[in-house]
Amino acid sequence: MDDWRSIVGGNVRRLRQSVGLTQEQLAFEAHIDLTYVGGIERGQRNPSLLVMVRIAEALKADPISLLERPR
């Protein structure tokens, strides 16, 4: 079974880095705590759908892109 927290976290990190945002900037744009962003990226947190949508919007990405399995 896939570890969806790790998949989401890896996608958040990849997308964040591709748009040139720091974790702090992403947290500010998505209106979430900086430590929560770090926990998501490390696969330690289980973000709600609302949080994933806010992250995706801050990254100017489609929310489904956070759920794509790595190739």
Side-chain angles (χ1 to χ4, degrees):
M1 177 175 225
D2 292 328
D3 181 0
W4 286 102
R5 289 177 297 187
S6 292
I7 291 170
V8 170
N11 287 330
V12 169
R13 177 175 283 137
R14 178 181 52 79
L15 291 167
R16 176 182 60 76
Q17 290 173 339
S18 74
V19 297
L21 291 179
T22 65
Q23 285 184 347
E24 184 175 16
Q25 291 167 323
L26 175 58
F28 179 80
E29 292 294 324
H31 305 283
I32 57 178
D33 190 81
L34 171 59
T35 60
Y36 193 55
V37 171
I40 291 169
E41 287 191 1
R42 289 189 301 276
Q44 297 172 333
R45 301 300 301 249
N46 189 22
S48 69
L49 178 59
L50 177 61
V51 168
M52 289 196 301
V53 169
R54 291 189 344 218
I55 289 171
E57 288 175 350
L59 295 171
K60 297 179 179 34
D62 189 333
I64 197 70
S65 65
L66 301 181
L67 296 173
E68 293 176 344
R69 288 185 178 103
R71 295 181 179 146

